[in-house]
Amino acid sequence: MNRIGQRLANLKAENRKALVTYIVNGDPRPDVSLAAMHALVEAGADIIELGVPFSDPMAEGPVIQRGHERALEHGTSLKGTMNLVKAFRETNQETPVVLMGYANPVERMGYEAFASQASDAGVDGLLTVDLPAEEAEALNVQLRKHNIENIFLLAPTTTDSRVERVVSLAGGFLYYVSLKGVTGAGNLDVDAVNARLNTIKQKTDLPVLVGFGIKDAASASAIGAIADGVVVGSVLVDAMGKNEQAGNDDILAALKAILTPMRQALDSL
Amino acid sequence: MNSKIDYNAMPDAAGHFGPYGGRFVSETLMHALDELQEIYSKAKSDPAFQAEFDKDLAHYVGRPSPLYYAERWSKKVGGAQIYLKREDLNHTGAHKVNNTIGQALLAKFTGKKRVIAETGAGQHGVATATVAARLGLECVVYMGAEDVQRQALNVYRMKLLGATVVPVTSGSKTLKDAMNEAMRDWVTNVDDTFYIIGTVAGPHPYPQLVRDFQCVIGREARAQCLEMTGKLPNALVACVGGGSNAIGLFHPFLEDESVKMYGVEAGGYGLESGKHAAPLNDGIPGILHGNRTYLMEDENGQIIETHSVSAGLDYPGVGPEHSWLKDVGRVDYVAINDDEAMQGFRTLTRVEGIMPALESSHAVAYAEKLAKELSQDDIIVVNLSGRGDKDILTVAKIDGIDV
């Protein structure tokens, strides 16, 4: 069990829900990313998902696409993202960090090089949007060797037999995508999510967190009541975009202003 | 070359051509791809489906397309005899319609009422809008904003056919970004939408099913060449963007060991300039748009912007079967620069009265080079994959003429 498993086990023991936060490394500019990670923790984040920008982020809605574009304009890379995690670990040994992105930068670096360097940097998990269970085995071998959890998505369209296949490879937690669509889309159907979570829970002991469509305290509370935690992304990246010209302090304040009510809502469940 | 390769055994059950191909998409789409694979397997072995496909190709597309002996051009070049497979004479003016007819029939089987497509030059968009009009399906076509500018005629054709054309302004605003946006649409509307991919790329089973639909080109060309000349051609030449017209011509000849094959990529301003769209000549394997294949990318694995005078070839990837055929050495992949392609366009127009699409002009230009190296007894079959009417504004602009 690495930092992810420990953190989620502790939360469960305390009967608390996990708050997972997503920002893109280098968005809106590289000099704010380290401070932003610490600010997320201060505002109550339990796990940080750090987006690795990609030129073709196919699963993202317009808000996170722009986040990737802003980061790439500053030359942000996978290697640079690992360096950011290394810097974060200088003062934070506890908060799990999951890299989230697309397969090609990892493919380019090489699976073994990626796993070993990510592990050295203090990365705990990897979520590769376009690397489904069927194609993940070679990478999984390397990740296991270096104690990095492979985080998988489950979707409303995932059939029961596929759930079994995915959970057999998954580590850390399962990320249930609440809706058919891209990040930042649509409205939540809490009852539909609940029905699927019940099915998934019968097939795995891993915690199941829910993302896509969580944008405020109310939606966090509604999903927190039925899942082990929530993943918040687009609303934070949107704040990065809106504060592109602002100073670092204003950016950090904006992130905290979004997360604090969500944390409170989750803790009052 | 390894003569024991069974070319018909590819792809394997998971969609792999050796290390290439596969299914690299977000979880939400996996079930839809499983479903498509199942529907396609059934259709493939269903005589009624095949009969309907053949009927549409004959009576709607106008097949078989002629194999035309370009006698005057061949004499002028002074080498091998050059034959043109006239896909430009198909309804809608390119090979693309062979595939959209097939996929639209699949869509009909699924009962989905909405189709989407990505397009570069607009040929696949037009071919999709055409079959959608015929079947009464809602049609949305994603097209890079830059391509919307340079292919204005095709944009208007699609609109006349009743399609909605959505300009894509993200990334490089070309074909790859259109494909990203089509994937986003599909993931959102997966229950009622059929995604008609225009080339032999994307997640399994698309590279396989698009290939199978396009193989009519090579089957016809093989029979026509035998009938007209009494022998097989010595060489085949086709342009390669995603590679659907090329695989369609090549595949039925793969086991004919005497037939050499040349896939012509877009050399843009020249391979050495870095500004081209030739991943098989100057790229490395990676993952994009649902498959592992040769890509144009930087040292960090970011996809880089490509350049070609022809919008249909302006794509950083290529179908996974081509990547495999390159590695096993069955097909030679070469590059033709923008200016050479333009020369090919002018030559064929003036010498034979046939105006090729700028995509096909790459194949024309390479065929001329190749013919000079071969003897007069040799035969080259060039896939004239589309007609050039759509490119007239681009050519006029290069000539400095305001039409």
Side-chain angles (χ1 to χ4, degrees), chain B residues 68-85:
Chain B
Y68 167 74
Y69 173 36
E71 192 173 1
R72 185 157 180 257
W73 185 34
S74 300
K75 283 208 176 98
K76 204 158 172 273
V77 174
Q81 308 308 308
I82 308 172
Y83 289 72
L84 304 175
K85 181 60 175 163

Side-chain angles (χ1 to χ4, degrees), chain A residues 53-58 60 65 69 104 107-108 111 129-132 134-135 153 157-159 162 180-181, chain B residues 16 22-24 26-28 30-31 171 176 180 184 187 191 284 286-287 289 292 297-298 301-303:
Chain A
F54 183 50
S55 51
D56 295 81
M58 277 168 293
E60 315 298 346
Q65 281 176 50
E69 285 175 7
N104 201 48
E107 178 100 350
R108 181 68 193 238
Y111 292 166
V129 178
D130 54 349
L131 201 69
E134 283 77 354
E135 303 285 356
L153 299 171
T157 52
T158 308
T159 57
R162 276 193 56 76
K180 291 169 203 155
Chain B
H16 295 116
R23 199 177 267 178
F24 296 85
S26 62
E27 178 60 31
T28 310
M30 291 301 285
H31 179 61
K176 83 172 174 74
N180 292 337
R184 290 177 187 125
V187 94
D191 289 336
I284 73 159
I287 296 168
H289 291 153
R292 184 182 276 117
E297 59 174 67
D298 69 12
Q302 307 293 346
I303 307 306

